Amino acid sequence: MKEYELIIIGAGPAGLSAALNASYLKMNFLVFEANVPGGIPASTYPWKHVDNYLGFKNLTGREAAKKMIEHAESEGVKIKKERVTEIKKYRNKLKVVTNKNMYLTSSVILAAGSGEACRRLGIKGEDLPQVKYVLTEPKKYKDKKVLVVGGGDTALEYAATLKKAKSDVTIVHRKNDFRATRENKEKVVKSKIEVLWNTEVKEILGKKNVEKVRLFNNKTNAEQLLDADYAFMCLGVVPNTDFLKKTGLKLDKSNNVVVDSNLMTGVKGVFAAGDVTGKLRRIPEAIGEGALATFSAFKYIKNPYWA
């Protein structure tokens, strides 16, 4: 087995920040990414402008991700496309198992992001091709009747963006208030998007395509059928932590990784950064945590004089 000082799992903002700092510290390290390098900005919000990170004004998610990847690669960071399936103790080291190989390391940083599996309702019709979980090309839905299901920031951002792209948008939310930022709430109000409060999706109808959606009001139990061409399910994601449950890591009730002030988990040598910890879930937080996790891992391994 090849041996490293540090293995970073994930190449989103947190993982790339961790890798950049590992390069700065001249560590012998490796980065794994099972999906799209760049993380959520590249895969989920490629069209959205990144406006909350200093120096990234007017860049889209795709452009910001590209900039981060290019910066990391210019400093010698190499990203391997492998999926980590297990982390286990091996003597005084850690063994990282992927879908292709096994590696030995002194430390690990978990930066796998908020999740790659979107939450589902488990209802009839949810597998139809017009039921979507990620919005990548808003203009594709021009003049289409689109249902957006959910009440968080993602749902509101999708709805406002689709409305701007001239879609006929309706938001369906099971509660009577949104759990979103003031900015996103204001966008929905200004866009005059129809909102069906206290409403849930019972069934999606159609043989090969989405045709109608059966809804019910959870206060009155009244049902209605709504015409639709597409449905976006914005119900959150399942954290990328399933493979960690057998390692002894402590997870909170939402399956986020629990860390201390140095971002170390309950397993010595294993650190976590970014969305996987379930904190702010914003690019600035992820980048800061990625850097801190690398310095914490370096101190754990080397015990430098300045630690």
Side-chain angles (χ1 to χ4, degrees):
M1 284 185 292
K2 290 185 178 180
E3 187 171 342
Y4 298 87
E5 291 178 319
L6 171 65
I7 285 179
I8 299 164
I9 303 172
L16 290 170
S17 174
L20 186 66
N21 283 276
S23 179
Y24 165 75
L25 291 168
K26 306 299 181 186
M27 298 180 76
N28 178 22
F29 70 99
L30 199 56
V31 181
F32 291 125
E33 174 56 63
N35 297 296
V36 180
I40 293 292
S43 63
T44 306
Y45 296 108
W47 43 267
K48 181 183 174 184
H49 280 85
V50 175
D51 55 8
N52 64 348
Y53 188 67
L54 194 64
F56 272 38
K57 186 177 180 181
N58 292 328
L59 290 181
T60 64
R62 182 182 287 111
E63 291 166 341
K66 184 173 183 286
K67 196 177 182 82
M68 287 187 276
I69 293 165
E70 288 175 348
H71 185 182
E73 289 180 339
S74 73
E75 296 295 333
V77 174
K78 294 182 180 179
I79 302 168
K80 291 179 73 71
K81 191 170 179 59
E82 295 183 29
R83 180 180 297 277
V84 174
T85 57
E86 189 177 3
I87 301 170
K88 53 187 177 183
K89 294 177 183 178
Y90 183 79
R91 296 173 183 170
N92 63 335
K93 302 285 185 179
L94 295 161
K95 183 188 288 186
V96 176
V97 182
T98 75
N99 59 327
K100 295 182 180 179
N101 216 329
M102 289 188 292
Y103 305 84
L104 209 57
T105 183
S106 299
S107 62
V108 170
I109 293 175
L110 305 170
S114 57
E116 59 189 53
C118 297
R119 296 190 190 279
R120 297 168 65 90
L121 289 174
I123 58 174
K124 183 179 177 182
E126 203 169 7
D127 292 322
L128 285 168
Q130 292 77 29
V131 178
K132 305 291 183 179
Y133 296 88
V134 176
L135 176 62
T136 56
E137 298 178 52
K139 293 179 181 179
K140 177 182 175 182
Y141 305 95
K142 180 182 178 181
D143 298 326
K144 302 294 183 182
K145 291 183 178 180
V146 182
L147 215 64
V148 177
V149 182
D153 282 308
T154 298
L156 272 58
E157 287 174 347
Y158 279 17
T161 302
L162 286 162
K163 184 73 174 181
K164 190 175 180 180
K166 301 189 184 305
S167 302
D168 182 0
V169 184
T170 302
I171 297 175
V172 174
H173 185 37
R174 63 190 178 92
K175 296 184 178 180
N176 61 2
D177 192 16
F178 293 128
R179 294 183 62 184
T181 63
R182 181 184 298 176
E183 179 186 9
N184 284 327
K185 289 180 179 181
E186 289 175 353
K187 282 181 181 178
V188 168
V189 172
K190 288 179 181 178
S191 299
K192 297 181 180 179
I193 296 170
E194 182 182 7
V195 181
L196 300 178
W197 301 105
N198 302 311
T199 301
E200 301 181 40
V201 179
K202 190 173 184 179
E203 183 181 11
I204 299 171
L205 304 172
K207 293 182 179 180
K208 294 183 179 180
N209 302 306
V210 172
E211 297 173 7
K212 294 179 182 292
V213 179
R214 189 184 304 279
L215 307 171
F216 77 96
N217 186 294
N218 54 35
K219 295 293 184 183
T220 65
N221 291 323
E223 291 191 6
Q224 64 172 306
L225 279 175
L226 206 65
D227 291 334
D229 299 308
Y230 290 90
F232 278 88
M233 313 302 275
C234 304
L235 308 170
V237 291
V238 180
N240 288 333
T241 50
D242 282 348
F243 73 97
L244 301 174
K245 290 179 180 177
K246 48 191 173 185
T247 66
L249 288 180
K250 184 179 180 182
L251 306 177
D252 65 18
K253 61 182 180 181
S254 299
N255 277 336
N256 299 304
V257 179
V258 176
V259 294
D260 64 16
S261 59
N262 292 312
L263 300 182
M264 188 184 280
T265 69
V267 176
K268 284 188 176 181
V270 180
F271 301 82
D275 288 2
V276 75
T277 65
K279 295 181 182 177
L280 188 58
R281 289 184 172 166
R282 293 290 187 272
I283 291 174
E285 170 91 9
I287 290 175
E289 285 192 0
L292 174 58
T294 294
F295 274 87
S296 295
F298 183 81
K299 288 190 287 185
Y300 170 77
I301 298 167
K302 301 290 189 180
N303 192 26
Y305 72 92
W306 46 262

